[in-house]
Amino acid sequence: MAPASDACIGAPLALVTWEPDTGKFEFGPGLDALKVATGQDNVPLAVVAVTGLPRTGKSSLLNQLVRELLGLELPPEHGFKTGHTTEACTQGLDMWWPPLPVRLPQAGMDSDGSVAATGAVSRAAAGRPTHRLLLLDVEGTSAARMCKSRSVRVMALTALLSSLFVYNSMNVIDEDAVERLGLVGEVVRRVREHAGAHTGGLGKHAPTFVWVLRDAHLQPAVINGREETPTEYMERQLAPLSRKGANGTHGADPDGDGGGNGGAGDDPRTALRALFPHANECRMLPQPLADGGRLRAGAGPGSLGATDLAPAFREGVRELATLIAARARPKSWGGGQAPGATPTAGSACEGGGGCAAATPVTGPVLAALLEAYVGAINSGAVPVIADAWEATLRRECDRACTAAEEAYEAAWVEGPEPQDTQELRQRHEACLAAARKEFEAIAVGPASLKHQFEQQWRAVVQSRYNERLAVLLGRQAEAARRQAEEAQREAAQARREMEKAQERAAAALRQAEAAAAQAAAAQQQAAAAQREAAEARELAAEARQAVAQAQRQADVAIAEAAKSRQQAEAERERAEAVRRQAEELRRREIDARQAMADAAMRAEEAQQQCVAYEKARRAEQFRAEEAARCAEAERQQAAAAQRCAEEARQQAAAEAKQREEAAWRARHAEQQRQAAEAERQLADEASRQAAAEKKGAEAERDRARGAALITAMAAALTLLLKLRG
């Protein structure tokens, strides 16, 4: 084997310790390790417990089994604590953590679990991983200074937890060993599977039993010409005695449940068969070394290397490891056996029918069961497997509900906040998928129980979704209200702008009217200018006639030119003035025509502006009407959203009321159960008192009979003396 580091092989952890001052069990760090087991550690666990008398090599054997199952060499100082003195090392229950992986070999193993080929199971690479082995090192029982109550409690807790129960003793199976192991028979009377209707002991939850005989050196017996196997030897030694055995004890229990009448003289063999009803095995191991001197010097088998051990011992440990890996299966609850387990009487697999889905023991489930069993044992009550399993399954399902709710909230905070109901619904579905995955990873138990708790966490997350939906609808309603207000403000602004446009159009009309008036005035001025021009033309014609007349007069009066030169010059100046007046009249006519053209252009522009203002007014009026319609639609949508939010709030309130009623019913049921338990305890106390009173009455009756007998004898003696006298 190759050496291994501490990180890859694991180490022992204290699971349960015994507190001498209080006389009760206390939990060690191993319980927390089981609770937080996740990933590859949170798989079905097959609990293998090694128990027996103190100082018989239980811890050393476990170290050798760890070495074989891992296929690695343990460091000398690593493993379960061992010692070479008479003082016991293990107190309570220690476990090897993490659990050891198991691979079921596909070949080399008979159907009954016997080894057909040597080699550690952990090296069977062709197999497939199924579960893990949790090895328990149990303190020695029936020690000289250990009270019987403590031994019974340790043995009861070990039998309840283990899937495979290994009893380690020395050399041979003698009557003392059977009587010591008969202590387990007390467990049958103390532990019941169901209250009331079912009284079958541990039933299908009983562990498989393997008896390991250490330092065996005797040859097997020959019976009917054949050497018997160690298992046959064990079966012969544990066969029930006759009804009246050689030692005077009663044998088989007529009820078959190992309980008998509860008397001290009951045959422990019957109790053992009731406690371990499955196919059991016996294995013999020789001495670890051919010479035990080194062991007595202080080096126990757990601290020796593989090469330091005797070959026969190494081979025996290897076969025992293979047997344990093949036979140890996780316990289960709820209809069927764990995969690969042999169907037992009363299980759902019996009779060839299909097995119902079962709940195997994982780390958290085992931790919850351990808490339930230790709590019952510490309080002096009788552990009820059905109640413990039911409480465990409910606790794990409740933890799964909490984890699902946390996963839902953790998935919700990832990503932006949804802005509409469709995004909100999609986010809700994605968060539900994450919560469902987390719930399925933790929840255990039958489908009906898981469905019940699934409905519970679904109701919680649905309530949270409804609250978020109500908040979103409220925000949408508020946004719609703000949009409606904004639309109303825009409509008012549009109305104001339309009024301004109308005012501008009226001003434009007034300007157009003024321009038209100006144009009319210009036309009048143009008509006046035309009249003045006509008058100017008439004056010009008259002037031309006057010029012609003057020329004629000049021609006529050339002779008189000299005489009338001054008159002619005057006439010429008057003609020049008339000409200038005519030119001025022509310019005024041109200006009047230009003013008429400008007035006509301004009138046309005013008319076009009036048309444009009229179109703008109509467009503004249409937009205002459209905005009013949109505002009305938004108002109706906001009212519908408010109604939806109110319905969601009412639904959330109804769901909250239903949750309160369910919690009240659960509390009421718990109070009724506690009351019933108190009445049962009062009834048991009354029964015990009645039995005590009956015994007292019988004692009083016996004393009265003795007194009467003494009185009669005295009277007879007195009469005899009188007769003789």
Side-chain angles (χ1 to χ4, degrees):
M1 295 183 183
S5 64
D6 295 351
C8 65
I9 61 177
L13 282 178
L15 183 60
V16 176
T17 60
W18 177 263
E19 182 57 41
D21 296 337
T22 61
K24 294 181 179 181
F25 288 119
E26 293 186 356
F27 296 111
L31 180 68
D32 295 331
L34 290 173
K35 286 182 176 181
V36 300
T38 57
Q40 63 179 2
D41 293 334
N42 190 24
V43 297
L45 297 179
V47 181
V48 179
V50 178
T51 184
L53 293 177
R55 315 309 298 144
T56 55
K58 300 184 297 299
S59 302
S60 300
L61 177 61
L62 277 168
N63 289 332
Q64 296 300 324
L65 291 176
V66 170
R67 176 186 297 168
E68 290 297 331
L69 291 170
L70 283 176
L72 299 172
E73 187 70 31
L74 295 178
E77 70 282 358
H78 211 81
F80 291 101
K81 184 179 179 181
T82 60
H84 61 281
T85 66
T86 57
E87 186 68 22
C89 296
T90 305
Q91 299 293 327
L93 283 76
D94 296 339
M95 71 175 186
W96 188 272
W97 190 261
L100 304 180
V102 177
R103 290 184 181 274
L104 293 180
Q106 295 179 348
M109 182 70 66
D110 295 340
S111 60
D112 61 351
S114 61
V115 180
T118 60
V121 176
S122 60
R123 296 194 295 271
R128 59 181 181 84
T130 56
H131 54 275
R132 286 177 176 260
L133 294 179
L134 184 69
L135 301 183
L136 294 185
D137 187 11
V138 184
E139 71 174 20
T141 57
S142 300
R145 298 183 63 84
M146 179 184 291
C147 64
K148 183 179 180 181
S149 174
R150 176 177 173 181
S151 297
V152 169
R153 292 182 181 186
V154 171
M155 195 71 73
L157 185 60
T158 304
L160 287 170
L161 295 178
S162 60
S163 306
L164 190 142
F165 189 96
V166 179
Y167 186 75
N168 183 82
S169 67
M170 303 301 292
N171 201 3
V172 296
I173 302 176
D174 54 13
E175 193 63 27
D176 290 338
V178 175
E179 290 292 342
R180 286 192 297 267
L181 186 57
L183 179 65
V184 185
E186 295 290 336
V187 178
V188 179
R189 288 187 287 270
R190 292 176 178 267
V191 178
R192 48 188 176 156
E193 179 181 5
H194 298 287
H198 303 280
T199 58
L202 291 176
K204 64 181 179 181
H205 306 289
T208 301
F209 178 73
V210 176
W211 195 322
V212 177
L213 296 175
R214 302 290 299 278
D215 298 349
H217 59 274
L218 298 177
Q219 296 296 325
V222 177
I223 299 177
N224 296 328
R226 182 178 64 84
E227 290 185 355
E228 67 178 355
T229 64
T231 301
E232 291 173 343
Y233 166 65
M234 179 189 70
E235 292 293 339
R236 181 166 58 84
Q237 293 299 108
L238 296 181
L241 300 176
S242 61
R243 176 61 68 177
K244 288 275 190 174
N247 58 356
T249 60
H250 290 275
D253 183 3
D255 297 332
D257 62 355
N261 296 324
D266 288 351
D267 185 8
R269 294 168 174 80
T270 304
L272 291 177
R273 286 186 173 274
L275 181 60
F276 304 116
H278 306 319
N280 303 316
E281 294 281 344
C282 179
R283 288 291 184 269
M284 294 183 177
L285 295 178
Q287 290 185 352
L289 298 176
D291 183 5
R294 187 177 180 185
L295 291 180
R296 288 190 295 272
S303 61
L304 296 175
T307 57
D308 298 328
L309 300 174
F313 180 81
R314 291 173 53 191
E315 183 66 22
V317 171
R318 185 176 297 114
E319 292 182 0
L320 179 61
T322 305
L323 172 67
I324 289 174
R327 286 294 179 87
R329 294 291 185 274
K331 289 184 179 182
S332 61
W333 182 267
Q337 299 289 331
T342 304
T344 60
S347 68
C349 302
E350 189 178 18
C355 294
T359 301
V361 172
T362 60
V365 174
L366 183 62
L369 285 174
L370 179 62
E371 289 179 323
Y373 292 149
V374 169
I377 293 174
N378 283 342
S379 64
V382 179
V384 180
I385 296 180
D387 293 346
W389 271 92
E390 184 70 20
T392 298
L393 298 183
R394 287 188 171 275
R395 182 184 302 178
E396 288 301 300
C397 288
D398 186 68
R399 188 169 68 89
C401 286
T402 303
E405 294 172 12
E406 293 176 352
Y408 179 87
E409 291 299 325
W412 191 274
V413 298
E414 297 177 357
E417 188 70 19
Q419 299 301 320
D420 56 30
T421 56
Q422 183 177 2
E423 292 182 3
L424 188 73
R425 184 64 184 177
Q426 292 175 354
R427 175 73 64 82
H428 175 63
E429 293 295 337
C431 295
L432 273 182
R436 187 183 304 109
K437 181 178 179 182
E438 187 70 18
F439 178 79
E440 292 295 337
I442 300 177
V444 294
S448 59
L449 181 63
K450 295 196 323 191
H451 178 71
Q452 174 186 350
F453 280 89
E454 182 176 3
Q455 293 298 319
Q456 178 178 333
W457 70 260
R458 277 182 174 273
V460 173
V461 300
Q462 183 66 32
S463 175
R464 296 177 182 175
Y465 167 73
N466 291 337
E467 292 175 358
R468 290 188 172 96
L469 178 61
V471 171
L472 178 60
L473 292 176
R475 287 201 303 268
Q476 290 180 347
E478 181 65 20
R481 186 183 63 79
R482 288 196 296 268
Q483 290 178 357
E485 293 177 353
E486 185 66 24
Q488 291 176 356
R489 286 194 295 270
E490 290 178 355
Q493 183 67 22
R495 285 194 299 270
R496 287 193 295 269
E497 291 178 356
M498 182 178 64
E499 292 174 354
K500 291 180 180 179
Q502 290 176 353
E503 292 176 356
R504 288 194 297 270
L509 287 175
R510 288 193 297 271
Q511 291 177 359
E513 292 175 355
Q518 291 178 359
Q523 288 177 356
Q524 293 176 359
Q525 290 177 0
Q530 288 178 359
R531 288 192 298 271
E532 291 178 355
E535 292 177 354
R537 284 193 298 270
E538 292 176 356
L539 291 174
E542 291 177 355
R544 283 192 298 271
Q545 292 176 1
V547 171
Q549 185 177 358
Q551 286 178 356
R552 287 191 300 268
Q553 289 176 357
D555 291 339
V556 174
I558 288 176
E560 298 177 355
K563 293 180 180 179
S564 58
R565 182 179 300 146
Q566 293 180 353
Q567 294 179 353
E569 187 66 26
E571 290 292 335
R572 186 166 54 88
E573 290 178 357
R574 285 196 299 272
E576 184 65 24
V578 171
R579 185 181 63 78
R580 285 194 299 271
Q581 187 177 9
E583 289 177 355
E584 181 66 24
L585 291 175
R586 281 195 298 272
R587 285 194 300 272
R588 291 175 64 185
E589 182 180 2
I590 292 171
D591 293 337
R593 289 177 179 176
Q594 184 65 34
M596 289 178 61
D598 293 339
M601 186 179 297
R602 286 194 300 272
E604 186 176 356
E605 289 177 354
Q607 186 175 4
Q608 292 177 356
Q609 189 175 8
C610 289
V611 174
Y613 281 143
E614 181 64 22
K615 290 182 179 179
R617 184 185 64 78
R618 292 178 179 176
E620 291 294 340
Q621 184 177 3
F622 177 78
R623 285 197 297 271
E625 293 176 354
E626 185 66 23
R629 288 194 295 270
C630 292
E632 180 63 21
E634 293 292 342
R635 187 187 63 76
Q636 294 178 357
Q637 184 178 1
Q642 289 178 352
R643 288 194 296 273
C644 293
E646 181 63 22
E647 292 176 357
R649 186 188 63 77
Q650 293 177 357
Q651 184 178 0
E655 292 177 352
K657 185 176 181 181
Q658 290 177 358
R659 290 197 302 272
E660 292 177 356
E661 292 178 353
W664 180 85
R665 288 195 295 271
R667 290 194 300 269
H668 185 64
E670 179 65 19
Q671 292 174 357
Q672 289 182 343
R673 188 190 67 76
Q674 293 175 355
E677 181 67 18
E679 291 178 357
R680 184 186 65 78
Q681 293 177 356
L682 291 175
D684 293 342
E685 183 66 24
S687 299
R688 289 193 295 268
Q689 292 179 356
E693 291 176 356
K694 182 179 179 181
K695 290 182 180 180
E698 290 177 352
E700 289 293 337
R701 184 184 61 191
D702 292 341
R703 284 195 297 269
R705 288 179 178 176
L709 180 61
I710 292 172
T711 303
M713 291 178 63
L717 183 60
T718 303
L719 180 61
L720 181 61
L721 291 175
K722 288 182 179 181
L723 292 175
R724 286 184 178 180

